Amino acid sequence: MTEIPTFPLPPLHGDPTPYDAGDYRRLRAEGPVVRLPIATGGPDVWLVTQYAEVRKLLSDPAHFSNAVQGPNGRLGDRSDESLKGFVIGNPLMYDPPEHTRLRRLLTGQFTVARMRHLRPRIEQIVTEHLDAMEAAGPSADLVEAFSLPVPSLVICELLGVPYADREDFQRRSNRLLDMTLDREAHAANTAEMNAYMYGLIARERAEPGQELLGLLVREHGDDLTDDELLGIGNTLLVAGHETTANMLSLGTLLLLHRPDQAAVIRDEPDAVTPAVEELLRYLTVAHRAGPPRHVTEDITLGGRQLRAGDLVIPSLLSANRDEAFVKEPDELDVTRDAAGHMAFGHGVHHCLGAPLARLEMQVAFPALLRRFPGLKLAVPYESLRFRLQSTVYGVESLPVTW
């Protein structure tokens, strides 16, 4: 039997992906569901690695539960302060029907039509940051100058964060997923973030604006508690900021290694949409769809018998590299049809912000490559530091020149 590595797996040298593709090929060859020890300790989990079985799991919340439960089986039975901000109001932490209620309230804010309305402002934010880079150049840290601030400003626009507050807002969000911080530092950062968001919610309660929190208060204020609005705001911050920021950085790094494919995105407007889907598939910066699932009753998945109470992790990144999904999955091909990838999850918990993330990348990648056609790394690849201790994979900094 193949020796099973611990989770998470290390990056593949010379390629900005958060695991060794060979390790995942071996795991998939063993079967679609494998028993895996967690690197940080705790109980073993079932890791689901093959595309078809990941889809099946994510389509079945009745047997594979996301819910954080209290002593009587419901999230609401707990009053722990730790639930506030990232559990209560977070659709990823609920099963239907509670999840269905929250999702229904939010879906209208992320329609394709609403995203088209945001496009001019996104284009303006991208242009302003490219102008600033060019004026300060001919070198920059792409993470600091472009990849982080662009989606941060977009999500601030969406939520209704006042302009004067955005620098502190971004600082707190950057610390949110940093797994190198100790428990006390995380707790302090979370408390600071929650206090700010509660203040923003109070202002929107008093005088609802036209941004997302204001619209939710105006249209559904009697149906949503402040704790739920807090969880919604913080969830959208993570989903709409961290993931897109890391995709912009890692995607650019990947394209610098593939100049022929970068040229496709730069020079062929009709090729941008499928190219973004392939980058999403190939990188899959969010390794899994939310927390580990709890098995609610004994069930067979991928030929393995799972027992009630077992923990299951659907590996989105392995599913997206499954040979049964795409041919030559470990090769980047921005011209391929990668529709059906699971970088945004699948099923009832498919990422609400996917249309916004897609739009930001469709604007940002070609604009960056057209502005700086000679863009290249300013340091040796080997000196880059990747965010291995974060729930969203990325790179700490990306020095570039042009």
Side-chain angles (χ1 to χ4, degrees), residues 324-366:
F325 170 47
V326 293
K327 295 180 180 178
E328 298 183 329
D330 297 327
E331 296 297 322
L332 179 76
D333 179 2
V334 297
T335 66
R336 84 159 91 224
D337 180 6
H341 69 76
M342 285 187 279
F344 291 118
H346 178 71
V348 298
H349 291 103
H350 182 269
C351 178
L352 263 173
L356 177 61
R358 285 186 165 106
L359 177 56
E360 290 180 81
M361 285 182 273
Q362 289 164 10
V363 171
F365 279 125

Side-chain angles (χ1 to χ4, degrees), residues 198-371:
Y198 274 132
L200 189 60
I201 291 164
R203 291 199 295 271
E204 295 294 342
R205 290 273 192 198
E207 190 174 346
Q210 295 300 315
E211 292 74 24
L212 188 141
L213 286 176
L215 291 173
L216 287 174
V217 166
R218 182 181 292 107
E219 297 171 10
H220 308 291
D222 293 338
D223 300 320
L224 289 167
T225 66
D226 284 358
D227 287 346
E228 287 176 326
L229 285 168
L230 172 70
I232 289 168
N234 284 343
T235 300
L236 293 177
L237 167 66
V238 175
H241 172 212
E242 286 289 336
T243 51
T244 305
N246 287 297
M247 271 299 304
L248 290 175
S249 296
L250 284 179
T252 300
L253 177 58
L254 183 59
L255 292 170
L256 294 181
H257 282 273
R258 312 288 200 281
D260 57 328
Q261 302 202 42
V264 172
I265 297 174
R266 184 188 66 226
D267 300 333
E268 301 178 26
D270 291 341
V272 172
T273 295
V276 165
E277 298 307 306
E278 171 67 350
L279 288 169
L280 284 161
R281 178 202 71 83
Y282 188 89
L283 290 168
T284 314
V285 297
H287 303 179
R288 63 195 194 203
R293 266 66 170 173
H294 292 78
V295 179
T296 60
E297 59 182 79
D298 294 359
I299 188 172
T300 299
L301 181 71
R304 303 298 293 265
Q305 183 64 42
L306 278 59
R307 303 297 183 186
D310 283 355
L311 295 179
V312 187
I313 293 177
S315 176
L316 302 181
L317 55 87
S318 182
N320 282 339
R321 294 292 188 98
D322 190 348
E323 298 83 349
F325 170 47
V326 293
K327 295 180 180 178
E328 298 183 329
D330 297 327
E331 296 297 322
L332 179 76
D333 179 2
V334 297
T335 66
R336 84 159 91 224
D337 180 6
H341 69 76
M342 285 187 279
F344 291 118
H346 178 71
V348 298
H349 291 103
H350 182 269
C351 178
L352 263 173
L356 177 61
R358 285 186 165 106
L359 177 56
E360 290 180 81
M361 285 182 273
Q362 289 164 10
V363 171
F365 279 125
L368 174 67
L369 295 171
R370 284 195 297 265
R371 180 67 70 94

Side-chain angles (χ1 to χ4, degrees), residues 127-138:
T127 299
E128 288 171 352
H129 284 79
L130 292 176
D131 289 345
M133 278 180 61
E134 188 170 20

